[in-house]
Amino acid sequence: MPGRAVFGVAADLLREAASRMWFLALGGAVTAILAGLGFSLRLDVVDGALAATRFFGKSVHTDIASVDVVLRSVYEATAYLIFYGGMIFGILACADFAPSLLSPGRIEHLLSLPVRRWELLLGTFLGVLTIALCGALYGAGGLSVILGVKTGSWTLRPMAAAALAGASFAGIYAVMLTVAVFVRSASMSAAVGGLLFTLGIVASYRQKIAPMFEPGVARESFKALTAVLPRIATLADTAASIAGEGKVDQPALGSLLLGLALFAAAVLALGIWRFDQKDF
């Protein structure tokens, strides 16, 4: 289990994130969007059915339907928005944390403290994951409260979907962090994160895409490359199913999360090994 030093490094990273204006601006923007929805969205609910919807005072055509049915599609769309939007933001906004950790002067100072190298790297990893998880939970939680107050229908499913979205970022950030150890570059870290994000979507459809390759080396190489990658799109679909009260194959979800955890642990172990080899 991680020691106190790991959580201390993670806490320092959270304080650094809080001091950055763009994180404060993001929090303000999400709050403004939620507040705008809260004040402008009006849902007329009669006997458990949605009779009318008004947005910014204008009527929106709505067929009378059960509130539960209407909200399922809303929560599914929200889950996709939080999942993909949060992941793209995380790749761009968190790309320079690791390079900053390794910057001249700072890394020497950190290594002079009673903190081991693996604790520095693991603490940075956990700190960034905490940021991603908090952002996803804040957006999903705020929307759940707004819709719950206006319709009387309460559910924690969007929160579960947001937690899955935050956890899914672990595989991508493990690669970004390890790349930063090899090449101290925020742009390179973001580029690799974006590439893995794209390949993770491709890997989700590997069985459908594989027949497009010629049988032989090309097809087998594609299968081998995509076999170990996180299934980003599959995880997004699962998050939407959870939010929309759809069916979830729990053994398959457990297998996806286990594969994601093993992938992140293996990549992070490579980064820690390289970090131990570096001479500062």
Side-chain angles (χ1 to χ4, degrees):
M1 292 291 291
R4 293 178 59 184
V6 173
F7 295 112
V9 173
D12 285 341
L13 187 139
L14 294 178
R15 283 192 287 270
E16 181 180 337
S19 66
R20 296 187 179 192
M21 293 304 297
W22 54 355
F23 277 92
L24 295 177
L26 174 71
V30 173
T31 302
I33 292 172
L34 292 174
L37 284 173
F39 286 113
S40 61
L41 183 62
R42 180 179 173 183
L43 304 173
D44 295 331
V45 179
V46 180
D47 294 333
L50 183 64
T53 302
R54 293 181 179 82
F55 194 53
F56 287 109
K58 296 183 178 179
S59 296
V60 178
H61 176 71
T62 305
D63 294 329
I64 295 179
S66 168
V67 170
D68 292 343
V69 173
V70 173
L71 291 185
R72 283 175 193 166
S73 57
V74 173
Y75 286 139
E76 285 178 359
T78 302
Y80 279 118
L81 179 64
I82 291 173
F83 192 97
Y84 286 116
M87 203 158 286
I88 292 172
F89 170 79
I91 291 171
L92 297 176
C94 300
D96 70 334
F97 278 121
S100 297
L101 171 78
L102 300 169
S103 61
R106 182 178 183 184
I107 185 61
E108 287 83 356
H109 168 70
L110 291 173
L111 292 177
S112 68
L113 301 175
V115 180
R116 287 169 286 189
R117 294 190 177 200
W118 69 267
E119 292 174 328
L120 280 175
L121 216 59
L122 185 58
T124 302
F125 178 73
L126 293 180
V128 170
L129 288 191
T130 301
I131 292 172
L133 184 60
C134 289
L137 290 176
Y138 180 62
L143 186 61
S144 297
V145 170
I146 290 171
L147 294 177
V149 169
K150 290 183 175 294
T151 66
S153 177
W154 295 87
T155 177
L156 292 177
R157 284 178 171 269
M159 301 290 285
L164 179 59
S168 300
F169 186 61
I172 288 182
Y173 191 68
V175 173
M176 293 172 62
L177 181 58
T178 297
V179 167
V181 173
F182 280 85
V183 182
R184 190 171 63 83
S185 166
S187 57
M188 179 64 73
S189 179
V192 172
L195 178 62
L196 179 61
F197 174 72
T198 305
L199 291 176
I201 295 175
V202 173
S204 301
Y205 304 103
R206 59 193 298 268
Q207 296 299 338
K208 296 181 180 178
I209 296 175
M212 299 179 184
F213 291 86
E214 290 291 338
V217 176
R219 183 179 297 181
E220 295 306 317
S221 298
F222 172 77
K223 288 182 177 179
L225 173 64
T226 54
V228 298
L229 297 178
R231 306 293 196 269
I232 299 298
T234 305
L235 288 165
D237 292 339
T238 305
S241 293
I242 293 173
E245 301 186 26
K247 293 183 179 178
V248 176
D249 187 339
Q250 295 187 1
L253 176 58
S255 177
L256 281 174
L257 292 177
L258 178 61
L260 179 67
L262 291 176
F263 176 82
V267 175
L268 200 58
L270 175 63
I272 290 173
W273 169 80
R274 179 57 185 152
F275 194 32
D276 277 335
Q277 305 299 313
K278 292 181 77 75
D279 183 19
F280 295 100

